[in-house]
Amino acid sequence: MPRSERSPLLLAGLLATAGVAHFATPRPFDATIPRSLPGTPRAWTYASGAAELALAAGLALPRTRRAAALATAAFFVGVFPANVKMAADWRHRPTPQKAAAFGRLPLQVPLVLWARGVARNAEGRS
């Protein structure tokens, strides 16, 4: 299978894994929800997990891949404040945890670019 065909499926797998994790172990995700958002952190955890599962499904299907990939890029931008909150909250934790939290921040850029690349490669193939 060529790389251009594997890429959307790998991204879908990443999102599906994260989405399942939001439901299987919601507590760590609850802690990353900015307090300024209305509602409960658990509701946001479940909503973001459901969004990740929906995006994964959309990426897996060639007919919906382009739209899902663009929505995935927007999703990665949208969850960035939660990653910033996590990094701020974990700044006093042991070095490995702190490094993981701060390391997630620059990883959002390649994730957004990956999703945009999937969208670009899906153009004209639906």
Side-chain angles (χ1 to χ4, degrees), residues 3-117:
R3 183 176 183 213
S4 64
E5 291 178 29
R6 279 192 321 262
S7 181
L9 299 179
L10 291 171
L11 184 56
L14 174 78
L15 285 163
T17 300
V20 168
H22 279 68
F23 289 97
T25 56
R27 183 179 269 174
F29 297 98
D30 292 347
T32 67
I33 305 299
R35 291 187 189 122
S36 60
L37 291 175
T40 66
R42 183 62 50 93
W44 285 100
T45 294
Y46 287 157
S48 62
E52 287 171 326
L53 292 171
L55 291 168
L59 288 166
L61 301 171
R63 281 182 64 167
T64 56
R65 185 167 292 153
R66 182 176 185 281
L70 292 172
T72 297
F75 178 81
F76 287 145
V77 171
V79 299
F80 187 73
N83 293 339
V84 170
K85 181 183 183 310
M86 180 182 178
D89 290 348
W90 286 26
R91 69 187 178 279
H92 300 298
R93 289 202 177 184
T95 301
Q97 291 177 332
K98 185 172 24 177
F102 279 93
R104 287 180 65 174
L105 299 177
L107 285 177
Q108 291 302 113
V109 172
L111 287 173
V112 170
L113 295 175
W114 184 9
R116 289 186 60 203

